[in-house]
Amino acid sequence: MTAPHPDTDFTLLLHAYGTAADTPARLRDLVSRDERARARALLHLDSAIVHQGTPWTATGPVAAHVCALVGRDALPDDRTLTGVLAFLHDVAQAAVLVADDLDGLAHPAGRDVDAEVAALLNGPDPEEGHDLIYEDAELADAVMARAVLSCREVLPAVAASAAHALTHPDDQVRAAAEETAAMAREATDLVAAQRANTRCA
């Protein structure tokens, strides 16, 4: 898979700077023959898709896409692969962000979060709609909770991608893969413990 999944509507997903409508082009850049395009794509992953440790609703779908690229050995050079593994490490780390009731925050009673976000982002000014999301505290909490949950959903894929890269001949790639694999294991264990504590509460 070198193009984003066709069922993913990135215009309705968010990254650190607004709507993720620009993200499919950056994902295609990851497999470009142009070194500058690949560098631009890695910057997008590290600044927009996960920003200073914070995930967004685009984070999980993007992580799923790049995991597929790693698994298919589709990335054209070791530097890009190392950068992608570092991004996946950050995705796994974001999966352990804790809230008292993550599922409850993601699905506030009496609100259709998907419909509300779509209405705001499909308005005449999507960037203004993006800002309005965060002016509504309950809606903002739902969006951010869904971002963390999306990271949790891709943890198995992150772990599998890191395991695949552990056999790579390049030392730096293997080192990045080891760090990402360790983070994925830690995150998986922490999420499982959080869920167990929630059931016992």
Side-chain angles (χ1 to χ4, degrees):
M1 180 171 59
T2 56
H5 193 284
D7 292 337
T8 302
D9 187 350
F10 280 93
T11 67
L12 299 181
L13 297 176
L14 301 168
H15 58 45
Y17 303 114
T19 69
D22 57 341
T23 296
R26 300 291 77 77
L27 292 178
R28 289 189 291 272
D29 284 343
L30 282 173
V31 296
S32 171
R33 295 182 178 180
D34 184 339
E35 183 179 351
R36 289 174 297 179
R38 297 195 303 272
R40 183 170 62 236
L42 290 175
L43 178 62
H44 186 75
L45 295 181
D46 293 337
S47 62
I49 303 302
V50 175
H51 181 74
Q52 297 180 354
T54 301
W56 309 85
T57 53
T59 305
V62 168
H65 174 76
V66 300
C67 283
L69 295 179
V70 173
R72 293 180 55 231
D73 297 318
L75 297 168
D77 68 297
D78 294 348
R79 181 180 179 277
T80 302
L81 177 54
T82 301
V84 162
L85 288 166
F87 162 72
L88 292 176
H89 174 281
D90 292 345
V91 172
Q93 194 167 44
V96 302
L97 294 175
V98 179
D100 290 336
D101 181 11
L102 205 58
D103 289 316
L105 288 172
H107 303 283
R111 301 192 70 165
D112 185 336
V113 172
D114 289 334
E116 291 186 45
V117 169
L120 289 170
L121 297 181
N122 283 328
D125 186 344
E127 294 308 317
E128 180 183 12
H130 166 263
D131 293 339
L132 290 174
I133 290 171
Y134 297 104
E135 291 180 11
D136 181 328
E138 189 174 56
L139 186 60
D141 284 346
V143 166
M144 298 313 295
R146 288 171 181 226
V148 176
L149 290 171
S150 78
C151 294
R152 295 183 176 188
E153 289 173 3
V154 297
L155 280 174
V158 171
S161 296
H164 178 76
L166 285 172
T167 63
H168 196 279
D170 182 79
D171 291 344
Q172 289 187 329
V173 170
R174 289 199 307 276
E178 288 171 2
E179 291 183 8
T180 301
M183 188 68 247
R185 287 192 300 270
E186 180 181 346
T188 299
D189 291 345
L190 287 171
V191 168
Q194 290 170 14
R195 288 172 176 164
N197 290 337
T198 299
R199 287 194 296 269
C200 293

